Amino acid sequence: MPRFLSPTRVALCAVLAFPVALRADDLPAPSGEVLLTITGDIARTNGKGAARFDRDMLAAMDPVTFRTETIWTDGPQTFTGPALSALLDHVGADGATVTATAINDYAVTIPQEDRVATGPIVAYLRNGAPMSVRDKGPLWIVYAYDSDPAYRTEVIYARSIWQLDRLDVGR
């Protein structure tokens, strides 16, 4: 004889099943060294409230490459990495600001208005090669400074954090 569940048991089963459905949409775990950890107001994770990325995961995100001069380097440089906006969309970020923090705990706040397709990238390559910690890597938030005079200001330069290892999405 079939066994029927009461409405209370059906609701309980739905509540218990909901986290499983969320986990199905989570990010894959990194297989290499974790270069970037994103926390805060994000929808997709691959570990205790965080989205962790290795170089291969970042490279798989439709990288952007541009050539620009910086105030920290000599001559034009080529940078490659995912657009910050695409990376934040990928993790379902829903905040007004992003706090970007470097290995040495230096931190900057990047506002929502910088989250545009033509905005900064999270560069993991400079001139076609990975960047060492000694060479401002492994990750560097870079704007296409030569593309727009608005990107050649002290405010934007201050947001161009190198040795990046953490992003925290806030409201």
Side-chain angles (χ1 to χ4, degrees):
M1 177 167 210
R3 186 170 167 196
F4 295 99
L5 296 175
S6 70
T8 303
R9 286 188 180 205
V10 168
L12 180 59
C13 288
V15 167
L16 293 175
F18 187 67
V20 172
L22 284 178
R23 283 193 301 269
D25 192 35
D26 284 349
L27 301 170
S31 59
E33 177 187 359
V34 173
L35 300 181
L36 181 65
T37 301
I38 305 174
T39 57
D41 194 1
I42 60 174
R44 297 182 73 204
T45 64
N46 57 11
K48 300 182 181 179
R52 299 168 305 129
F53 291 85
D54 61 22
R55 186 177 317 280
D56 288 344
M57 293 169 73
L58 293 170
M61 291 192 56
D62 208 12
V64 173
T65 298
F66 56 72
R67 190 165 176 81
T68 191
E69 291 193 40
T70 81
I71 62 172
W72 308 279
T73 58
D74 293 328
Q77 307 288 307
T78 301
F79 294 94
T80 301
L84 178 63
S85 61
L87 181 60
L88 294 173
D89 288 347
H90 188 68
V91 297
D94 187 28
T97 62
V98 174
T99 301
T101 306
I103 294 167
N104 67 357
D105 293 329
Y106 173 79
V108 298
T109 300
I110 300 173
Q112 178 75 20
E113 56 264 18
D114 283 14
R115 251 179 92 175
V116 294
T118 57
I121 65 171
V122 177
Y124 54 83
L125 296 177
R126 180 172 138 203
N127 299 323
M131 297 173 283
S132 68
V133 170
R134 186 178 195 145
D135 194 29
K136 299 188 176 20
L139 301 176
W140 184 355
I141 293 184
V142 181
Y143 293 73
Y145 309 104
D146 294 347
S147 72
D148 187 337
Y151 288 155
R152 293 188 298 271
T153 66
E154 289 301 316
V155 170
I156 295 300
Y157 294 146
R159 293 178 190 159
S160 302
I161 185 171
W162 56 76
Q163 296 178 338
L164 174 74
D165 72 343
R166 290 164 278 172
L167 296 173
D168 185 64
V169 179
R171 290 221 167 250

